[in-house]
Amino acid sequence: MAGILQGRVAIVTGAGRGLGREHALELARQGAAVVVNDYGVSLAGEGTGETPAESVVAEIVAAGGQAVANPADVADFQQAADMVQQAIDTFGGLDILVNNAGFVRDRMLVNTSEEEWDAVIRVHLKGHFAPLRHAGAYWRAEGKAGRTRAARVINTSSGAGLQGSIGQTTYSAAKAGIAAMTLVAAAEMGRYGVTVNAIAPSARTRMTEGPFADKMAAPEGGFDVMHPGNVSPVVAWLASEDAADVTGRVIEVEGGRICVEEGWRHGPATDLGKRWDAGAVGAEVRSLLGQAQTPEPVYGA
């Protein structure tokens, strides 16, 4: 397979189905050797005993590519380390990390249990941190040894994390955390030749079949805007050496639409030069709010 990722080595987490599967296939199509990670869980994160990663590996190999399956729980610190080491041992190194694994347990805030909160935050937020931590340590060591790699990280945020989503407090908080993690990691890891970006994909997957079923339905003909494969070419380009000048960005992808998110920015401000009196704060804040951009509405509001 020849393409823009020829000779590069990638890990894609949560790659047995949906977006992750499409990412793994596209990276392989573009020439990368791929570690296809999937823990094999239900939409709610429960073990199923399935091994969907194996079928993705078989598809890649049948098309002439290189791939190996990995069953790690990406939020387990040691298993994440072993997954990174598997890429190095199997293919001789690591150049690309696509953090994609996750699941949902949607509830309105007042109905969310502690267990549901912990599970979603763990798989999304820690499940991004752990692989990135171990891959980053490898890339730092490579750089110090004079073997700086053109390393790329593509994280997965969401419109829920950027604009918020009714009934998805936990998921939105995790995805917002991933966006912030992306900004900091990009600033910290650039010295090692690593770029870190995030995508905010809108596509038809197991996680969107419930709350957004009407929007996500496949059309009878024409361009399927919500097919998850539409997102993967953007991931492949961000994973390429050509994307060296792009880092610390969150890019929304839906169908053929690419949107660079602008995120939090300092807006209108005032400085009294001394401590405020609480009674005077309200008028000043309302004045500043009148000068500021109106926030986009929360999804589902």
Side-chain angles (χ1 to χ4, degrees):
M1 292 185 176
I4 63 173
L5 303 177
Q6 191 65 39
R8 291 168 68 71
V9 179
I11 292 172
V12 183
T13 71
R17 305 180 180 89
L19 282 164
R21 174 182 181 276
E22 296 295 333
H23 297 341
L25 293 175
E26 179 64 19
L27 266 58
R29 192 176 297 120
Q30 294 298 332
V34 185
V35 175
V36 180
N37 162 264
D38 201 281
Y39 188 46
V41 296
S42 70
L43 179 59
E46 300 157 343
T48 64
E50 298 179 71
T51 56
E54 297 286 357
S55 65
V56 178
V57 168
E59 190 170 345
I60 291 171
V61 172
Q66 298 181 77
V68 63
N70 174 274
D73 171 359
V74 293
D76 182 289
F77 200 67
Q78 185 57 53
Q79 289 186 46
D82 293 342
M83 178 177 66
V84 169
Q85 193 61 49
Q86 180 186 12
I88 297 165
D89 292 344
T90 305
F91 298 119
L94 178 64
D95 305 290
I96 301 158
L97 171 63
V98 181
N99 280 317
N100 168 78
F103 56 73
V104 291
R105 295 189 184 178
D106 293 347
R107 293 282 189 276
M108 299 298 278
L109 175 61
V110 297
N111 293 327
T112 301
S113 70
E114 181 180 17
E115 183 275 332
E116 289 167 335
W117 171 273
D118 288 346
V120 172
I121 294 296
R122 178 184 183 275
V123 72
H124 286 282
L125 206 48
K126 188 176 180 183
H128 271 61
F129 161 73
L132 178 54
R133 157 66 174 79
H134 294 298
Y138 165 70
W139 290 323
R140 180 181 61 183
E142 287 290 280
K144 288 184 175 181
R147 298 186 298 267
T148 299
R149 304 183 79 96
R152 305 285 181 263
V153 178
I154 299 92
N155 292 327
T156 305
S157 184
S158 168
L162 304 173
Q163 280 84 39
S165 180
I166 298 294
Q168 293 189 308
T169 302
T170 310
Y171 178 75
S172 297
K175 290 303 191 182
I178 288 167
M181 181 192 301
T182 297
L183 303 182
V184 177
E188 291 185 353
M189 297 176 66
R191 72 191 71 179
Y192 311 125
V194 184
T195 68
V196 186
N197 294 286
I199 57 167
S202 184
R204 184 175 54 256
T205 69
R206 289 193 302 169
M207 289 200 297
T208 58
E209 283 175 349
F212 307 113
D214 292 342
K215 180 181 178 183
M216 298 297 173
E220 293 184 3
F223 178 43
D224 184 356
V225 175
M226 289 298 145
H227 191 285
N230 297 330
V231 179
S232 303
V234 177
V235 172
W237 181 78
L238 288 171
S240 72
E241 294 188 55
D242 184 53
D245 58 328
V246 180
T247 194
R249 295 288 191 166
V250 180
I251 299 175
E252 186 177 42
V253 188
E254 178 179 322
R257 178 177 179 270
I258 298 173
C259 175
V260 176
E261 295 286 330
E262 294 192 324
W264 291 103
R265 303 178 63 88
H266 291 298
T270 188
D271 187 349
L272 186 63
K274 61 180 181 180
R275 178 185 171 118
W276 284 87
D277 178 88
V281 170
E284 189 59 37
V285 169
R286 288 193 176 93
S287 175
L288 294 173
L289 289 172
Q291 303 168 49
Q293 294 186 38
T294 301
E296 293 186 27
V298 171
Y299 287 109

